Amino acid sequence: MNTLTRTSVRTLAAVGSLALLVPAGAEAAAPAASTVTIEADGTDLFGEVDSPRDRCEKNREVVVYKQIGSRGGGNDRRFASDTTDDDGDWNTGNTGTEGRFYAKVKKTDRCKADVSPTIRATR
C-alpha cells in the first residue's frame, strides 16, 4: 500500500469508530413542545400539561402565580405548585383565594417550557 492509501484507510477507520460513539437518534432529541393550561372551579385551580412526547406530560412541576397588577410586571407572586400525574393533570385543590392566576411549566432537557393564559378565580 502506498502512503496516501494507508492515510486514507486510517482516516476512514477513525471516522467510522467515532460514529459508533454517537447514540442512535441523537439528532431526534430536540426538546418537544409542551402546553400548560389552567382552569378554576370556584377557587380550585387545576389544569393539564400536554405534549406530543409522553415523558413531557408526566411528573412535571407546575407553578401557579397570582397576578398582581399587569402580567409580568415583576410583582407577580408564586402562589402554589403541583406535580403532574401520568396523564399530565395537576390540581392545587381549593385554595380559598380569589384573583387572577396563571401557570408555568419549566423546560427540561427534552421538553420546552410554557406559560398559560391568565384566568380569574372567584367564589
Side-chain angles (χ1 to χ4, degrees):
M1 245 193 248
N2 67 30
T3 305
L4 182 58
T5 304
R6 261 184 264 146
T7 303
S8 297
V9 168
R10 286 185 196 137
T11 302
L12 285 174
V15 169
S17 61
L18 284 175
L20 295 174
L21 297 175
V22 177
E27 67 281 347
S34 296
T35 303
V36 64
T37 63
I38 186 171
E39 298 179 55
D41 182 7
T43 57
D44 183 10
L45 303 174
F46 59 95
E48 176 180 27
V49 173
D50 189 39
S51 175
R53 185 175 288 153
D54 283 346
R55 75 177 349 171
C56 292
E57 296 178 352
K58 303 174 185 178
N59 204 33
R60 297 280 302 274
E61 182 185 22
V62 176
V63 178
V64 177
Y65 288 85
K66 183 167 180 158
Q67 183 175 322
I68 312 295
S70 62
R71 182 167 167 164
N75 52 356
D76 295 348
R77 206 175 80 229
R78 182 182 169 125
F79 181 75
S81 66
D82 191 29
T83 302
T84 59
D85 64 14
D86 287 348
D87 296 323
D89 297 327
W90 62 270
N91 189 328
T92 64
N94 191 337
T95 66
T97 305
E98 294 181 310
R100 293 175 295 168
F101 298 91
Y102 59 94
K104 284 186 179 184
V105 64
K106 291 183 179 180
K107 73 175 185 165
T108 68
D109 290 342
R110 298 206 164 203
C111 313
K112 292 183 179 179
D114 191 43
V115 180
S116 74
T118 301
I119 56 103
R120 181 175 295 279
T122 58
R123 292 180 213 204

